[in-house]
Amino acid sequence: MASEFTEYICTQCGTQYAKTERPPETCRICADERQFVNPHGQQWTTHARLKRAYRNTVHSQGPGVTGIGVEPLVGIGQRALLVRGVDGNVLWDCIPLLDDGLAELIHALGGLRAIAVSHPHFHTCMVDWAHTFGCPVYIHSDNRQWVMRPDSSIRFWEGETMELDGGMTLVRCGGHFPGSAILHHDRDGGEIFTGDTFHVNPDRRTVGIMYSFPNYVPVSAATVRRVSRAIESFEFRRIYGQWWDAVITEGSKDSICRSAERYIAAIEGKYE
Ligand SMILES: [Zn+2]
Ligand SMILES: [Zn+2]
């Protein structure tokens, strides 16, 4: 059989790698302690194969915010958010599949002016998305080592904040990853898009901050303080978290304060 160079995708986390003749030995994202290697063994797929067996799903997540996912579930079940702003659309976080119907729909809505990704668990197929829409992908430079498919569309930003225009700002919070970032949008009282930086809990009133969510590995009290402080000066009413419908609609600043206090109390042994 003729060999074929392909950008392989890890089926466990949905991360796409630079073109190789054979699949990589291991997935670096899964082998890291913040994720996990498939207990049945490392497996790989490709975007072409995903396009044959999976499809994109689209559901509203709030005013001007459309959730985009994949069915059946692939990777860690990531969903991205299409944030519609005055200066055009920004894709927050990314997913392993972009089917033709969805690409057409987003083009009809004006395309994408930028993609911004919170941290490596959502890098997935960001380069394929950037090529389709001819837009840049913003990644904090402290997460550079986790980019598995380097590409000229990726812009590494540095420092603590970066303006994305249209009232949008990227804010580096750290915590889960050194370059973990959130997106702040100043419309309608303000909203933040947090990825795994502030993990919206099932009660939709509190958030979690963790080094590893699947492996239940916490961060220190000092890190919780630092991550919470990073967004103190921003106004916001809504928090869009990491999964479908993980949204806090009111009292969001207070939710973060109370959650941080509870976390610090727990890690300092006050509940024991
Ligand atoms: Zn992986
Ligand atoms: Zn994560």
Side-chain angles (χ1 to χ4, degrees):
M1 198 165 66
S3 66
E4 200 183 334
F5 280 76
T6 306
E7 288 112 355
Y8 286 97
I9 297 173
C10 169
T11 58
Q12 185 62 51
C13 71
T15 303
Q16 188 182 48
Y17 281 68
K19 215 170 248 196
T20 48
E21 189 172 8
R22 289 194 188 80
E25 287 280 304
T26 52
C27 170
R28 279 189 52 211
I29 303 281
C30 286
D32 175 66
E33 288 195 330
R34 283 160 282 206
Q35 244 297 104
F36 58 92
V37 177
N38 185 333
H40 303 295
Q42 176 68 49
Q43 288 165 28
W44 300 94
T45 187
T46 64
H47 199 211
R49 266 188 259 157
L50 288 179
K51 277 174 94 170
R52 286 197 289 273
Y54 295 79
R55 68 184 189 96
N56 286 120
T57 54
V58 175
H59 303 287
S60 174
Q61 293 291 282
V65 179
T66 306
I68 302 167
V70 183
E71 250 179 24
L73 191 138
V74 67
I76 54 171
Q78 292 96 335
R79 68 97 185 82
L81 294 172
L82 184 69
V83 185
R84 309 197 62 196
V86 287
D87 280 2
N89 303 319
V90 170
L91 189 77
W92 172 249
D93 278 335
C94 205
I95 53 175
L97 175 71
L98 173 57
D99 69 25
D100 296 342
L102 178 67
E104 236 171 78
L105 175 73
I106 295 176
H107 276 303
L109 293 171
L112 298 179
R113 68 177 172 94
I115 299 168
V117 183
S118 60
H119 74 292
H121 295 150
F122 285 81
H123 285 179
T124 60
C125 288
M126 58 189 179
V127 173
D128 279 345
W129 280 73
H131 289 176
T132 299
F133 296 104
C135 68
V137 185
Y138 293 97
I139 303 279
H140 195 278
S141 62
D142 285 357
N143 285 347
R144 185 189 287 262
Q145 63 162 309
W146 301 103
V147 170
M148 299 306 164
R149 184 185 171 190
D151 188 76
S152 59
S153 62
I154 300 173
R155 311 268 165 85
F156 292 103
W157 63 280
E158 296 184 343
E160 303 311 308
T161 59
M162 201 203 78
E163 298 288 330
L164 267 189
D165 298 329
M168 296 188 196
T169 309
L170 293 171
V171 185
R172 186 266 284 278
C173 293
H176 184 47
F177 275 82
S180 277
I182 65 157
L183 173 68
H184 177 263
H185 192 191
D186 68 1
R187 73 174 163 200
D188 190 27
E191 52 195 12
I192 58 170
F193 301 85
T194 63
D196 282 347
T197 302
F198 298 106
H199 199 271
V200 172
N201 292 331
D203 61 8
R204 295 185 203 159
R205 297 160 68 88
T206 61
V207 299
I209 303 170
M210 295 283 269
Y211 180 73
S212 170
F213 289 96
N215 304 322
Y216 303 105
V217 184
V219 293
S220 68
T223 296
V224 169
R225 286 193 190 97
R226 198 176 61 245
V227 171
S228 310
R229 223 179 290 133
I231 49 143
E232 236 169 36
S233 62
F234 290 87
E235 287 306 316
F236 56 91
R237 274 177 52 198
R238 280 194 167 78
I239 302 175
Y240 290 91
Q242 68 294 349
W243 306 129
W244 289 109
D245 304 317
V247 183
I248 300 179
T249 54
E250 291 294 339
S252 295
K253 279 208 131 171
D254 194 43
S255 294
I256 288 179
C257 287
R258 282 187 293 112
S259 304
E261 279 165 21
R262 180 175 72 175
Y263 186 108
I264 291 165
I267 208 160
E268 289 179 345
K270 298 220 169 84
Y271 297 146
E272 289 162 20

